[in-house]
């Protein structure tokens, strides 16, 4: 990790909009687990306020927030080592988000590809919140003065915007108050692709369930989805450059490397020359071995939702020890009157 004058602090978030999949796990959560041991403080967040930028059934939102928390913990995020929160219990996120709505420029927001993808042809009919989403995301990060943000590749542009917002705020008010955050987009699986189409990202919004491996899939379902995954007819190459122009093959090899914690070259040194008929069972055995303990633990944690709620309440308390002073200082910088202390 690169150094800045700010104390290293990690923040990341995932939307509790249901359906954690292998892309979320390899691109994000697995990295969160390693990073919690690399810095003194890490904060991981269920971004429920972001989720409602598109319609969420209230009951489902509650369920999905708890299930995501269970997914984090089952994957190895320890509430003793990291602060685990849902965004709405830490009101300073939304409060700083408003300030950032007044810092970010319309032109910057109009360039956001995620907004354009999600709004599609429907841009007049989506919520204002969906458009403002990246300013709230900047606030999530900067209300902790977080320096490092592990995410999948699709969040890169939002993190650049976060840097632009911090830079403009610091410049406009003549301060060096917000850090210029480093995105951490690393590993073999920063962009896990659909099992049905190697040019499309694995996503919870893909109508085909066969396109993704859900964290809650059982062993048979995982094996079946991998068996049916699209591939080409050639054998696997022995070196990474042999994966060029073979998006499906590359994706399966990347997934294997990320699950096994080895490099793509190491995978190919072992499996080069094998055909998919031999490689796919190896991949499903590995996926089942890594994922089924996590889904088992998620189910166990979900049988005691009150315990999850206690963990999130405690996390919110710890979080506010950081966010309240940073928001107060921001208000002072901006010129908001508050009682003298
Ligand atoms: P979301 O589910 O969109 O809130 O994404 C949560 C996290 O998972 C973010 O850090 C994303 O970048 C990451 N992520 C989502 N889909 C993928 C994917 N297909 N490959 C890698 N990372 C992903
Ligand atoms: N936008 C992210 C996503 O869709 C979720 C998110 C919200 C986030 N706030 C964040 C990620 C802050 C990292 C840091 O995946």
């Amino acid at each position: 990790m690169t150094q800045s004058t700010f104390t290293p602090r990690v923040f990341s978030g995932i939307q509790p909009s249901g359906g954690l999949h292998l892309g979320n796990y390899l691109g994000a959560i697995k990295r969160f687990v390693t990073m919690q041991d690399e810095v003194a403080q890490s904060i991981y967040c269920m971004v429920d306020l972001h989720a409602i930028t598109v319609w969420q059934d209230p009951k489902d939102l509650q369920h999905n927030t708890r299930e995501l928390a269970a997914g984090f913990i089952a994957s190895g995020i320890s509430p003793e080592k990291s602060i685990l929160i849902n965004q709405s219990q830490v009101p300073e996120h939304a409060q700083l988000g408003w300030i950032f709505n007044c810092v970010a420029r319309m032109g910057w927001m109009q360039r956001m590809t995620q907004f354009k993808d999600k709004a599609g042809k429907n841009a007049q009919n989506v919520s204002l919140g969906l458009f403002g989403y990246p300013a709230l995301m900047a606030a999530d990060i900067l209300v902790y003065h977080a320096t490092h943000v592990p995410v999948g590749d699709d969040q890169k542009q939002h993190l650049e915007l976060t840097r632009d917002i911090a830079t403009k705020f610091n410049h406009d008010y003549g301060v060096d108050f917000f850090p210029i955050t480093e995105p951490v987009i690393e590993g073999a699986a920063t962009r896990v692709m659909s099992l049905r189409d190697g040019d499309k990202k694995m996503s919870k919004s893909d109508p085909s369930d066969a396109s993704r491996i859900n964290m809650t899939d059982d062993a048979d379902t995982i094996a079946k989805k991998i068996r049916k995954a699209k591939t080409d007819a050639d054998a696997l190459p022995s070196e990474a450059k042999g994966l060029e122009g073979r998006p499906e093959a590359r994706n399966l090899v990347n997934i294997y490397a990320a699950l096994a914690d080895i490099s793509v070259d190491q995978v190919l040194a072992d499996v080069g020359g094998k055909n998919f008929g031999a490689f796919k069972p190896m991949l499903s055995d590995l996926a089942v071995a890594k994922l089924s303990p996590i889904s088992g633990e998620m189910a166990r944690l979900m049988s005691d939702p009150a315990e999850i709620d206690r963990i999130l309440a405690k996390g919110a308390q710890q979080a506010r020890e950081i966010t309240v002073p940073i928001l107060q200082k921001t208000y002072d910088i901006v010129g908001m009157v508050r009682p003298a202390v």
Side-chain angles (χ1 to χ4, degrees):
M1 294 191 317
T2 44
Q3 298 299 315
S4 74
T5 50
F6 290 85
T7 318
R9 192 178 269 159
V10 169
F11 180 93
S12 197
I14 297 190
Q15 298 189 56
S17 39
L20 261 188
H21 56 74
L22 187 66
N24 300 133
Y25 177 66
L26 294 177
I29 302 180
K30 194 163 180 291
R31 307 277 309 124
F32 300 176
V33 177
T34 359
M35 290 191 85
Q36 78 180 342
D37 292 318
E38 292 173 359
V39 288
Q41 221 158 20
S42 46
I43 302 104
Y44 296 121
C45 184
M46 273 57 76
V47 289
D48 45 14
L49 297 173
H50 276 103
I52 61 162
T53 55
V54 299
W55 170 251
Q56 305 291 329
D57 176 85
K59 282 253 160 330
D60 292 346
L61 181 60
Q62 284 186 338
H63 173 85
N64 291 336
T65 302
R66 294 189 179 112
E67 189 175 76
L68 180 55
F72 277 20
I73 300 167
S75 302
I77 291 169
S78 152
E80 307 302 320
K81 292 188 196 167
S82 295
I83 299 176
L84 200 59
I85 52 168
N86 60 315
Q87 190 182 25
S88 57
Q89 287 202 68
V90 184
E92 293 73 27
H93 289 234
Q95 289 176 284
L96 185 61
W98 179 258
I99 307 266
F100 287 171
N101 279 341
C102 303
V103 174
R105 306 287 95 181
M106 288 294 284
W108 301 358
M109 308 301 276
Q110 276 158 351
R111 281 196 288 275
M112 293 294 115
T113 55
Q114 184 167 306
F115 175 76
K116 288 191 255 182
D117 291 347
K118 283 197 178 176
K121 292 193 187 68
N122 205 18
Q124 292 305 306
N125 205 29
V126 296
S127 74
L128 182 57
L130 189 69
F131 187 66
Y133 178 114
L136 178 59
M137 175 162 165
D140 296 337
I141 297 166
L142 294 173
V143 80
Y144 296 90
H145 279 185
T147 54
H148 294 83
V149 181
V151 280
D153 177 67
D154 59 349
Q155 295 302 309
K156 201 170 174 176
Q157 195 186 31
H158 287 161
L159 292 181
E160 277 158 15
L161 184 92
T162 301
R163 293 162 70 98
D164 290 343
I165 289 178
T167 305
K168 181 162 166 58
F169 182 98
N170 289 345
H171 175 267
D172 289 355
Y173 291 102
V175 291
D176 183 19
F177 185 60
F178 287 116
I180 308 305
T181 301
E182 291 291 333
V184 184
I185 303 173
E186 287 172 357
T190 54
R191 194 172 179 82
V192 177
M193 308 309 279
S194 155
L195 298 180
R196 311 298 299 159
D197 177 351
D199 292 320
K200 237 168 79 185
K201 190 179 72 161
M202 184 178 286
S203 155
K204 62 187 142 207
S205 54
D206 194 311
S208 162
D209 192 59
S211 71
R212 65 185 157 259
I213 294 176
N214 303 303
M215 294 300 284
T216 47
D217 283 345
D218 60 25
D220 285 347
T221 311
I222 293 176
K224 192 164 137 211
K225 286 179 177 174
I226 291 179
R227 197 164 57 240
K228 289 198 166 164
K230 186 176 167 202
T231 47
D232 52 42
D234 296 341
L236 284 154
S238 316
E239 284 172 25
K241 71 173 179 335
L243 293 171
E244 272 164 31
R246 300 177 64 187
E248 284 84 14
R250 178 196 298 277
N251 188 38
L252 295 187
V253 171
N254 282 349
I255 292 174
Y256 191 98
L259 282 170
D261 275 317
I262 57 178
S263 69
V264 165
D265 286 324
Q266 280 172 293
V267 178
L268 294 177
D270 280 352
V271 304
K274 283 194 200 304
N275 58 28
F276 283 100
F279 178 62
K280 281 179 168 180
M282 290 172 64
L283 179 59
S284 23
D285 287 350
L286 178 64
V288 169
K290 296 284 179 180
L291 300 181
S292 59
I294 300 178
S295 59
E297 182 61 5
M298 274 173 80
R300 194 190 66 78
L301 291 163
M302 283 302 280
S303 68
D304 187 2
E307 175 58 15
I308 295 179
D309 293 1
R310 274 192 293 277
I311 291 171
L312 295 180
K314 180 170 154 253
Q317 235 173 24
Q318 294 171 315
R320 298 196 71 201
E321 285 171 22
I322 306 172
T323 59
V324 169
I326 290 178
L327 185 75
Q328 280 178 347
K329 188 78 211 297
T330 311
Y331 275 9
D332 290 345
I333 292 170
V334 172
M336 303 286 169
V337 173
R338 64 185 175 98
V341 275

